[in-house]
Amino acid sequence: MTRARQTAIGLSLAALIIGGWFALHVWGVFFQPLSWPAIAVAPVLILTQSWLGAGMFIVAHDAMHGSLAPGRPRLNAAIGQLCVGAYAAFSYRRLNTCHHQHHRSPGSAEDPDFHADRPEAFGPWFHAFFTRYFGWREFAIVAAVLATYLFVLKANPLNLSLFWGLPAILSALQLFVFGTWLPHRHHRSGPDFADRHNARTIPMPWIASLLTCFHFGLHHEHHLSPTTPWWRLPQMRRR
């Protein structure tokens, strides 16, 4: 596939994911009624927003590897920062540095995304994973945005909780479970990986792979070819 075609497909999918996330965010926070029968669609909106939130990170992840728009590092960085900044004020530069360190030393004490002390435990690993990237800087920015929503734009606090806070937490869990913990965790009997990448693929049908984490569960394939964009990982798996 040519660079131009990969860029066109990657940017088109990114636009759908980012546009969908922003549209549902604005609708949910400011316009979604919480009375019956409109409230009946709330679970669908929350789950869709969570899925698109995971997609925002996957777009940023492709940007880190230069596979979103090959040969255009500034465009990759700009879109990557837009995605992680809109999601929770994360620093793309910091995430990028840590992610490449993860690829250099996957599943080791030098891997910032690995919990070497408890490589099988969910809770301690998730806590370390979340607090490593969400610090006081991110908290201050999110708090300022929250205050603006509440006191300037007069958003309903319950709408904010349901359609911003809850999807953010769910998508963080989604990314961690299918993109980090299941692919890299150790079993109680010890690690069982195929090679030095210390990563495994989660076998599931194509649609489940897409809905869980935009095919990021095909994690061994990703480590074998980090510059393959998320939407081509199933094809790589078949090969």
Side-chain angles (χ1 to χ4, degrees):
M1 178 177 292
T2 65
R3 281 187 170 189
R5 179 172 170 76
Q6 181 170 320
T7 298
I9 295 174
L11 292 181
S12 297
L13 292 173
L16 290 173
I17 292 168
I18 296 168
W21 186 91
F22 271 102
L24 282 186
H25 176 77
V26 171
W27 173 262
V29 170
F30 295 107
F31 301 107
Q32 173 61 34
L34 297 182
S35 57
W36 185 262
I39 190 63
V41 302
V44 176
L45 292 178
I46 292 167
L47 291 175
T48 304
Q49 186 73 339
S50 173
W51 180 66
L52 291 171
M56 295 271 278
F57 267 91
I58 299 302
V59 170
H61 167 266
D62 274 4
M64 293 174 195
H65 288 291
S67 57
L68 177 62
R72 305 182 69 177
R74 290 185 180 180
L75 181 59
N76 281 310
I79 296 175
Q81 182 58 67
L82 171 66
C83 288
V84 298
Y87 181 82
F90 289 113
S91 165
Y92 173 79
R93 180 174 297 181
R94 183 180 182 191
L95 289 169
N96 190 25
T97 299
C98 290
H99 188 67
H100 284 283
Q101 178 60 31
H102 163 71
H103 274 271
R104 284 191 293 270
S105 308
S108 72
E110 289 74 39
D111 178 356
D113 292 343
F114 184 67
H115 199 277
D117 294 335
R118 299 283 303 280
E120 80 291 340
F122 178 87
W125 193 342
F126 179 70
H127 178 266
F129 181 83
F130 183 80
T131 55
R132 179 173 294 111
Y133 299 111
F134 192 83
W136 287 110
R137 170 192 170 275
E138 290 74 21
F139 177 81
I141 295 172
V142 170
V145 174
L146 180 61
T148 301
Y149 278 10
L150 285 172
F151 303 116
V152 178
L153 301 176
K154 306 298 182 182
N156 185 330
L158 185 54
N159 281 64
L160 276 169
S161 300
L162 287 175
F163 302 111
W164 185 23
L166 184 56
I169 294 169
L170 290 175
S171 57
L173 285 167
Q174 194 173 350
L175 285 159
F176 175 73
V177 169
F178 294 102
T180 297
W181 186 62
L182 289 178
H184 291 290
R185 76 183 177 108
H186 292 187
H187 297 297
R188 293 188 181 277
S189 58
D192 59 341
F193 302 110
D195 54 32
R196 63 180 179 83
H197 294 290
N198 294 324
R200 65 175 64 84
T201 280
I202 306 167
M204 60 180 71
W206 182 90
I207 189 63
S209 177
L210 174 65
L211 293 177
T212 51
C213 203
F214 289 83
H215 303 309
F216 211 47
L218 300 175
H219 212 73
H220 188 230
E221 287 75 12
H222 167 59
H223 274 264
L224 290 173
S225 180
T227 57
T228 297
W230 68 266
W231 43 273
R232 293 188 67 191
L233 285 172
Q235 180 183 355
M236 183 181 175
R237 170 72 170 170
R238 288 192 295 271
R239 290 204 306 267

